[in-house]
Amino acid sequence: GIHLGRCLTMPKHGFLTPKAISNRIKSKGLQKLRWYCQMCNKQCRDENGFKCHTMSESHHRQMRLFRENSGKYMSYYSDMFKKGFVEVLRRRGRNRVKANTVYQEYIKDRHHIHMNSTCWETLSSFVVYLGKQGIADIDKNENGTWYVKWRDTDPERMARREAAARLDKMKMTADAVSEKKIMEQVERAHKELNPEEKRPEEKKELNKDEKREELKFGLSAKKEVPKFKGGAEIVFEQFKGVGKKRKKKEVKKSTMELIIEEQEREKQRKKAKRARENLPNVKKENWIFKDIVVKVMNKKVGSGKYYKKKGVILKVRKKFEAEVRILNSGDVLRIDQEYLETVIPGIGKPILILNGKFRGYEAEMLSLDDDPKADQPTVTVKILAGEYKGEVVQGLDLEDVCKLIS
């Protein structure tokens, strides 16, 4: 006989199955930009899905609309892309930053306008456009990396800044006038208290023709010594106040007063500690300072002659360029901070804090802490000068400190 087998079909993935959950997670995240259709606002997961989408009727309908007025759509998408990019750059403030860094932050939004739907083919052409339009300050390093810096051209913000500058100038003028009046009052009061200084005595000249007069010396009488009237009490009364003044005895403070003073000192210490904790954690892109020791990490500089050579920064130019004097040869190079690396000194050596709450403070290297839980070792330093002299700071990253030339 003939055996009739049952048709076996794979069950469809349920809503809570691992496969379905994985598909939903993939659909939410940022996927390949080349499989995104800007006209349809459709993100495809792979090449096959994108091919099926381009063959669909809805996509052909949208493309017919685009062909009818391509310039309008291109202009709209270009304008939206420019606004989004400039908004991200504006949030960065007036800091010089890589153009690619801004672009990577912009495309994190899944529904952003893609560059392949704009009039710019590459990011470099778009950066050049921003520079020509005066929207941002641009520059290019020797490796061909573009940097951008936002230029604030908003009339309202510029007007506010000018008004604030005028107000500060008026305030400074008013302070100068009031200070001048105070000085005049002080001088007037000084003259009133010392009237002899107003009319200095005229020097009298000696004439030979004048008759010489006899010189007379007047001797004052001796001071009479008080006679003893008799009796010890009378003697002490007569000589009361004669002689050197005795020093006042220091009043011994009570226990309560000592406790109150200690509490006040404790309050001051807590206040200073809160002020340190509230210091802004400054993390700036420019970390180079004068008189720190750095290491050159670019093989192309000097055809590799200065690779991993140490030098001292003599001068900082435009926040990101440094004039470095090589220690061994004495050669002076001008190099971008991107190709420099910090140098960590030995224990007890002077260092400079480059970033963080204590940026710019000189310190002493206390220890190198290698915590297995942390990603990289940290250092503990002691502030040597300034408001926080003697403060011990722990947990500083290696890239936030550098050896200071002694």
Side-chain angles (χ1 to χ4, degrees), residues 143-159:
N143 282 349
T145 305
W146 283 101
Y147 287 86
V148 291
K149 180 182 177 184
W150 180 60
R151 184 188 299 173
D152 190 2
T153 56
D154 185 19
E156 295 182 1
R157 281 194 288 269
M158 292 176 68

Side-chain angles (χ1 to χ4, degrees), residues 6 13 16 55 120 131 145 228 341:
R6 289 164 48 184
H13 297 299
L16 296 177
M55 295 172 63
W120 301 288
T145 305
F228 298 144
E341 189 180 75

Side-chain angles (χ1 to χ4, degrees), residues 22 84 105 132 173 217 245 247 267 271 327 347:
S22 176
E105 185 175 343
K132 288 182 179 179
T173 307
F217 298 95
K245 293 183 179 179
K247 294 182 180 180
K267 285 182 181 178
K271 186 177 179 181
L327 294 178
I347 305 300

Side-chain angles (χ1 to χ4, degrees), residues 81-220:
F81 178 81
K82 183 182 74 173
K83 286 182 179 178
F85 188 92
V86 172
E87 178 63 23
V88 175
L89 182 61
R90 187 185 66 81
R91 289 200 299 267
R92 287 271 180 168
R94 299 181 184 178
N95 296 327
R96 177 176 175 266
V97 63
K98 289 182 180 179
N100 191 48
T101 303
V102 181
Y103 178 71
Q104 293 297 329
E105 185 175 343
Y106 169 69
I107 65 174
K108 284 181 181 178
D109 182 11
R110 186 184 177 192
H111 300 290
H112 70 277
I113 303 299
H114 290 60
M115 182 175 283
N116 55 12
S117 60
T118 65
C119 60
W120 301 288
E121 295 182 358
T122 60
L123 181 61
S124 299
S125 60
F126 176 65
V127 171
V128 172
Y129 167 81
L130 292 180
K132 288 182 179 179
Q133 294 295 319
I135 300 173
D137 297 327
I138 63 172
D139 62 283
K140 189 177 183 181
N141 65 2
E142 57 186 11
N143 282 349
T145 305
W146 283 101
Y147 287 86
V148 291
K149 180 182 177 184
W150 180 60
R151 184 188 299 173
D152 190 2
T153 56
D154 185 19
E156 295 182 1
R157 281 194 288 269
M158 292 176 68
R160 283 199 298 268
R161 282 201 298 271
E162 291 176 0
R166 285 196 301 269
L167 186 62
D168 291 341
K169 189 175 180 180
M170 291 170 61
K171 187 177 179 181
M172 290 173 64
T173 307
D175 292 343
V177 171
S178 62
E179 187 177 354
K180 185 178 179 181
K181 288 182 179 179
I182 291 171
M183 294 301 295
E184 289 177 355
Q185 292 176 359
V186 171
E187 188 176 354
R188 197 181 307 119
H190 185 68
K191 289 180 180 179
E192 289 176 359
L193 290 174
N194 303 306
E196 294 117 11
E197 294 184 4
K198 294 182 181 179
R199 296 182 298 275
E201 295 182 358
E202 296 180 0
K203 294 181 180 179
K204 190 175 181 181
E205 296 181 359
L206 295 174
N207 297 325
K208 293 182 179 179
D209 298 336
E210 292 181 358
K211 293 181 179 181
R212 296 181 179 179
E213 297 180 358
E214 295 180 359
L215 297 176
K216 296 180 180 180
F217 298 95
L219 300 175
S220 59

